[in-house]
Amino acid sequence: MKEISIKTKIATIYLLFGVAWILLSDEILFYFIKDVEQLSKIQSFKGWTFIVVTSILLYSLVKRYEDEKNRNEKKLYESKEYYISLLEQAPYAIEVYNKEGFQTYFNKEYTKFWDIKKSTTKNKLNINNNKIFKQAGLLDFINRSFNGEIIDIPVYSHSLDSINTNLKNQEKLVKTQIYPIKNSMGEIQDIVISHIDVSAEKNVKKFENILSLVFETLPDILFIIKKDGTIVDYRSKSNNDLYLQPDFFINKKVQDVLPFNAAKLFEEYLAKTIEKKDIQIFDYELEIGNERKYYESRMSLLGDDEHLMALIRDITEDVKSKEQLKFQSLLLEQSIAATSVLDSDGKFCYVNESYLKLWGYENENQILGESPANHFYDSSMHKKIINELEKDKNNIFTLVAKKKDESLFNILMGAKLINIKNKKFYISSSIDISERVEISKQYETIFNNVREGVFISEIDGTIINVNPYIERLFDKTRLELINSNIKSFLTTKDLKKLKRIFHTLKSKKEAQFEIELIGKENNIFTVSINSQIINFENKQIIYGTLRDLSQENENMLLLERSRRIFQNLKEGVIITDANGYITESNKAFSDITGYSYHDVLSKKISIIKSDKYDEDFYNKLFLDLKQTGKWSGKIINKRKNKEEFTSFLTLSAIKDNKGKLQNYIGIFTDISDILNYEKELRKKDLMLSQQSKMAMMGEMIGNIAHQWKQPLSAISMSNGIFMLSQEVEGVVTKDELDNSIKNISNSVEYMSHTIDDFRNFFKPEKNKKYFKTKKIFEKTYTLMEAQLKNNSIEIIKNIEDIELNTFENELLQVLVNILKNARDALESQDTKNKKLIFVDIYKKEKNVFIQIKDSAGGIAEDIKDKIFDAYFTTKDESFGTGIGLYMTKQIIEGMNGEISVSNEEYTYKDIKYKGALFTVRLEDCI
């Protein structure tokens, strides 16, 4: 476009010269030549003269243009190698197109990026035929770039199989930028196109941020400098404050063309960059047009190691912003409010000292870069705040916050959304309002729980608020009462009275009166009202309290009733203050201890203490009372007459709503008579036990006699053989004599074991011992064997051999009693069926079960619940005492067990039977 413009200029000059020649040539000749003949002669050569002059002029213009163009192109291509070196080191794909639209260059990253060979496209590819540009719709952007516009194309998706068929079904996300390159005459020489692969989804945002940062920090000035400081190339934005024509810098040294302070810094960092071969960054400031400006310079070596590149950026706005932020930060640090700033990702980027103290953190490093989720009771609260700020940039919140130690507190937060350089920040300031919230809660608690009615109304009597006491009086909810008028609850006769009350209230600002109200179910009751006018939120309201006088009368009656109950309780009651001094006692206390109310008033409770316990006992008692708030147990105290008595005492600590100790209360019962009665019962039980054993002793002696019959007969027979051998020699052989002696010895040993078993049966046991279930049943059977066989009773056993740890003789007595009861029941039955007793012993979890079942027909239902009672028997008095099963129950319960009986029908060997089933369960004896 620019070349056409220049040719047009040449044509225009040629045209203007031609017109001027045609119009003015005769007048000019006439002015200089007065001779008409000579003038005519010269005019005959005027046309040729014009052609020659204009040809020379045209040639001169075109020649000058071509020379200037060649010089610029030479200069451009001389510096081009530096840019080529720079482009080769770029980490992204770069390609260059000339003004005719042909690709003249691409770097190594370009071949990797598109997976192509360098020889395939260079100098052949035309922009209009580029499949990549066509597919991505980039041609319009490229045409705009040829018009001088820098283009930043948004991320787009590109299919790679349009370039390389081996990459079928593969795509890349590409970020493309287009820069026009101009020569010194301002003409566009080439365009440079760069491509960045942002395919990885997780990196898209990162690359977007990097590219945004690049465009934010595009240099205002670019220098290419030789190591000696000579500037060989210079680029600058035309709207830059530092913009100067290139001739001012090109081929001059930086120290000669830059201001003194900047030149000195450039010279210093030029040497550092060459020495360290690393990027050097430094700042400097200049006075431009009575304004102080700040600049940042970045200097680095180029790939040829001969030249350096310096990028200069105006950072005045950044510096001023930092100074402003520093000032604001200083203000925030001095603020008593806890201030924090969240970035656009919702992470802390700033907190002040007050914030650290309020939330309980030691330093800002524990917070910065973290989410505020753990700083609130609701971990999603910060997101809700941000959402609210997006709708309304300023907002106030009342929140429950959470400190580092997990404790909660209430805050009032003011928050604001601000934008700095197109970035969002969320600033908040918070104050601790926990005390105010606590006071508000206390007020609400008092308002709701005070033992009188509280109401707030407008001056005209319209109700604004009431407490639960008034809700109960009228059987209406708070919402039902609000906005109604006090007048609607008055009787007809008191409506006129209300007018006088309101008049008094308005003039004196307070009033006390009694009035009748209509309550629930239209009941009329009298109340006492104290009211006053107060100012609230710039208006006057009525605040009043109300007492139900009829309820007060009921309360007085209830209090009197409670006092009568207190005085007539059979248990002694004593009340002390927090220091243990007696303040109240009832009549039962006086009856039990002998001390009157006046005897013990303001005395220590220790006045009834006996000498049975040492100080350690009482110290432990009061320690338990202090820690748990109560103590109970048997204790021996002393009456006024010095007589000791045993009581069951319960002590309780009474505290107020704040947990402060107010009183101790003791309730006790004199159990001396009960303990004496228990002693008598124990004596009685011992006597019954002895009676039971004596009753069984006769049977046991009969058993002994029966079991001794056979061994006594064997002894008698052996003795007869022995005597015969003495009287008649040779009748008895030596072997027969030895066998007789052996029989006598065995029989005596059997009789000895039998008598030991019976003696052990009656021996009392004080300690538990280990024994096996099979062994104890063998002993039981030994004691009962003779009686069972005499009555043709068959025993069917199913016994697990379990080791027990309990009282063996007591359990032996239980088994004998139950078997004896079954034997008696079977003996009294006239039946053709077999007489059977089933014995099952088994373990289930931690319990041992013993079940003994007979076939005697069961127990009558009307007496089944009585068989464990003392002296209850179904036998004739001459045959039974009625204490066997009673003692059995006492023994089992003393062994931490239980016994029960039921009737059961069952089949044994195809024959149906019915009998009593005794079940014994023993706990924790394994």
Side-chain angles (χ1 to χ4, degrees), residues 36 113 214 259 290 309 379 445 528 580 583 588 682 732 827 854 901:
V36 175
F113 191 89
V214 167
N290 296 323
M309 179 173 63
S379 59
T445 301
S528 173
T583 59
R682 282 197 293 272
V732 180
E827 189 178 2
D854 59 49
V901 64

Side-chain angles (χ1 to χ4, degrees), residues 2-18 54-66:
K2 291 293 181 180
E3 283 193 11
I4 295 172
S5 177
I6 292 170
K7 290 176 181 179
T8 302
K9 287 180 182 179
I10 294 172
T12 301
I13 292 170
Y14 183 76
L15 178 62
L16 291 173
F17 182 79
T54 54
S55 295
I56 294 170
L57 177 62
L58 182 60
Y59 174 79
S60 299
L61 290 172
V62 172
K63 178 64 174 167
R64 183 179 177 185
Y65 168 74
E66 290 293 339

Side-chain angles (χ1 to χ4, degrees), residues 1-128:
M1 295 294 293
K2 291 293 181 180
E3 283 193 11
I4 295 172
S5 177
I6 292 170
K7 290 176 181 179
T8 302
K9 287 180 182 179
I10 294 172
T12 301
I13 292 170
Y14 183 76
L15 178 62
L16 291 173
F17 182 79
V19 171
W21 183 271
I22 293 170
L23 296 176
L24 302 175
S25 60
D26 288 340
E27 292 183 11
I28 292 170
L29 289 173
F30 184 74
Y31 179 78
F32 287 102
I33 302 171
K34 301 298 183 179
D35 186 352
V36 175
E37 185 178 338
Q38 188 178 3
L39 179 62
S40 177
K41 192 176 182 180
I42 291 172
Q43 282 180 333
S44 64
F45 295 99
K46 185 172 65 171
W48 289 105
T49 304
F50 173 77
I51 292 172
V52 171
V53 171
T54 54
S55 295
I56 294 170
L57 177 62
L58 182 60
Y59 174 79
S60 299
L61 290 172
V62 172
K63 178 64 174 167
R64 183 179 177 185
Y65 168 74
E66 290 293 339
D67 290 345
E68 183 66 26
K69 181 180 176 183
N70 290 335
R71 282 197 302 272
N72 289 336
E73 287 182 353
K74 182 179 179 182
K75 182 179 177 181
L76 176 65
Y77 284 105
E78 283 176 354
S79 61
K80 202 168 188 178
E81 61 184 30
Y82 304 127
Y83 297 107
I84 295 298
S85 174
L86 183 62
L87 296 178
E88 283 294 332
Q89 298 177 58
Y92 39 83
I94 295 176
E95 54 183 324
V96 179
Y97 288 83
N98 62 18
K99 56 191 175 184
E100 285 80 22
F102 287 98
Q103 188 184 61
T104 59
Y105 168 81
F106 52 80
N107 65 355
K108 292 178 182 178
E109 286 298 321
Y110 179 89
T111 60
K112 295 177 184 177
F113 191 89
W114 298 114
D115 194 26
I116 57 176
K117 294 181 180 179
K118 205 157 190 177
S119 59
T120 56
T121 62
K122 191 173 180 182
N123 298 322
K124 298 178 181 178
L125 183 62
N126 187 277
I127 286 177
N128 295 317

Side-chain angles (χ1 to χ4, degrees), residues 73 197 372 449 469 597 717 769 773 805 816 821 914:
E73 287 182 353
D197 183 1
N449 294 285
Y469 183 96
Y597 169 70
M717 185 180 293
K769 65 180 182 180
T773 51
N805 180 26
V816 169
N821 189 76
K914 182 179 180 181

